[in-house]
Amino acid sequence: MTISLPRPLHALGEAELAAAAKDRRWPKWQTMALLHSLRLPILNACLVPPGIGAAAVRTAARTLAAAAGTETLMIRSDGGVEKKQYYRGGNTFALKDIPPRAVGLLADGRAVILAEPTNRFTNRLTVLVRLDRPSRGQPGTFTLEALGPGYDVADLTRGQIPPQVTAHLEDVDWDRYEPPRWHQWTVTGDRCPGGEDTRRTRRLQRLASQTLTDAGHLDGDAGAEHAEAWLRERGFLHLFGPQLPREDLMKRGRRLFEDAFVLALAQPNRNWRCLATAFSVFDRRRTVYWDLVDGERKYAATVQAATRSQERAA
């Protein structure tokens, strides 16, 4: 049987995007396809499913790199059920280093997502976007949690780093759009014990133990001071400058709410209770959304449901 080679997300037609947005085997890719179909900003990417060899990975990487005009790509992985020590992707590598890293993930039964490269050390704004409601038809809430320059999405989602600013809306009707007014926002400042020094140290510790180690820049024994030296030597000084994300966040608050409302209406699970996505502003002011997570459909349940569906089809 011939296996079709992966194609870049931005090259998929409407029917292909719709099919990808319904494929629950790969939750990250599924939501990337949904976001792109809604014309929301997303990194161009390729999904490489298990069962594809190193030669096909090289071809997919070259195709995406050519489309993006780059010599490096980001590696992420996707597979539903996350192991305790699952691969924490998001790092960028040269094309020659992509196949050996991807093959190991594919052999473990995980899909690989190759994406346009980013510099996670120079982000200007990182926002975690959360939509909540007790049940369908009931008013809910909208919450934005933000970090400023030099931080990234993983700091909010799994780094245990408190946001520098939180913006919150109450009594949101997710079935009927109403633009939020300024007086309706509740904005809360820094609540990190120890302040910005503690937050920055946690960020540096994460970079040393995970990001820079995975990319081969530091070894496993490196600490926060080594990560700081590495950043400063390369001129990545965003983390050490002024951290005042409140104004930047609130300038984007209404647009983020509008996008969230579109996502709520497009969500296949009409009985959702909690949806979350992440939003980044890069150094060149480019903006992207990452994944959309439905709290009612954890990855384990997603994979089990997809397996049952395949068994019924067989």
Side-chain angles (χ1 to χ4, degrees), residues 3 48-54 56 106-107 109-111:
I3 299 178
V48 183
I52 288 184
L106 296 171
R110 296 185 64 81

Side-chain angles (χ1 to χ4, degrees), residues 3-301:
I3 299 178
S4 59
L5 291 176
R7 296 174 58 215
L9 180 67
H10 291 184
L12 300 182
E14 290 186 10
E16 294 168 303
L17 279 175
K22 294 178 182 178
D23 189 345
R24 293 168 61 188
R25 293 174 298 170
W26 320 118
K28 293 175 185 175
W29 181 253
Q30 177 189 17
T31 63
M32 289 179 74
L34 175 63
L35 289 162
H36 186 55
S37 70
L38 296 172
R39 305 295 188 266
L40 295 177
I42 194 87
L43 293 174
N44 200 2
C46 274
L47 177 73
V48 183
I52 288 184
V57 172
R58 283 192 291 271
T59 300
R62 287 196 297 266
T63 300
L64 177 60
T70 180
E71 294 297 323
T72 60
L73 292 175
M74 180 195 302
I75 294 182
R76 306 181 72 200
S77 73
D78 198 359
V81 180
E82 305 290 13
K83 297 179 180 179
K84 186 176 181 180
Q85 299 298 326
Y86 77 98
Y87 178 70
R88 299 179 185 275
N91 282 336
T92 295
F93 302 95
L95 290 184
K96 65 180 178 61
D97 297 325
I98 298 292
R101 289 179 173 271
V103 166
L105 292 166
L106 296 171
D108 199 30
R110 296 185 64 81
V112 169
I113 296 176
L114 304 178
E116 293 178 75
T118 65
N119 186 338
R120 64 196 311 174
F121 314 118
T122 61
N123 293 330
R124 290 188 176 274
L125 183 70
T126 296
V127 186
L128 188 64
V129 182
R130 177 165 170 157
L131 298 66
D132 287 277
R133 66 180 183 184
S135 62
R136 186 175 182 179
Q138 296 296 313
T141 60
F142 178 63
T143 306
L144 303 173
E145 296 182 342
L147 290 170
Y151 292 91
D152 69 20
V153 169
D155 293 320
L156 285 170
T157 58
R158 58 176 181 252
Q160 298 180 333
I161 296 179
Q164 292 162 329
V165 60
T166 301
H168 185 75
L169 289 172
E170 291 281 353
D171 296 324
V172 177
D173 183 347
W174 289 113
D175 296 312
R176 185 169 62 89
Y177 175 75
E178 289 187 8
R181 301 181 182 276
W182 278 108
H183 73 274
Q184 294 175 306
W185 290 97
T186 299
V187 183
T188 306
D190 185 6
R191 290 184 174 178
C192 179
E196 194 57 40
D197 288 342
T198 298
R199 182 185 286 103
R200 186 182 297 111
T201 298
R202 290 185 185 180
R203 165 67 168 162
L204 292 170
Q205 289 171 338
R206 280 197 65 253
L207 291 178
S209 64
Q210 297 176 19
T211 305
L212 296 177
T213 299
D214 178 57
H217 300 305
L218 296 177
D219 60 39
D221 296 326
E225 67 277 12
H226 301 98
E228 179 172 353
W230 189 91
L231 292 173
R232 290 186 180 277
E233 287 170 3
R234 288 155 182 80
F236 299 146
L237 305 179
H238 296 61
L239 186 65
F240 311 106
Q243 295 288 334
L244 302 170
R246 175 173 176 150
E247 182 178 354
D248 201 5
L249 174 66
M250 296 316 296
K251 283 180 179 178
R252 301 175 184 275
R254 178 163 173 170
R255 179 57 186 270
L256 290 170
F257 179 78
E258 290 173 352
D259 291 347
F261 195 83
V262 170
L263 287 172
L265 292 180
Q267 176 63 23
N269 176 18
R270 302 308 302 154
N271 295 316
W272 65 268
R273 295 181 63 185
C274 175
L275 301 176
T277 186
F279 175 84
S280 294
V281 181
F282 298 149
D283 192 35
R284 295 182 179 180
R285 296 295 181 181
R286 180 183 179 184
T287 62
V288 301
Y289 282 97
W290 295 90
D291 308 321
L292 178 66
V293 177
D294 181 354
E296 289 262 313
R297 294 184 173 178
K298 298 298 184 181
Y299 283 176

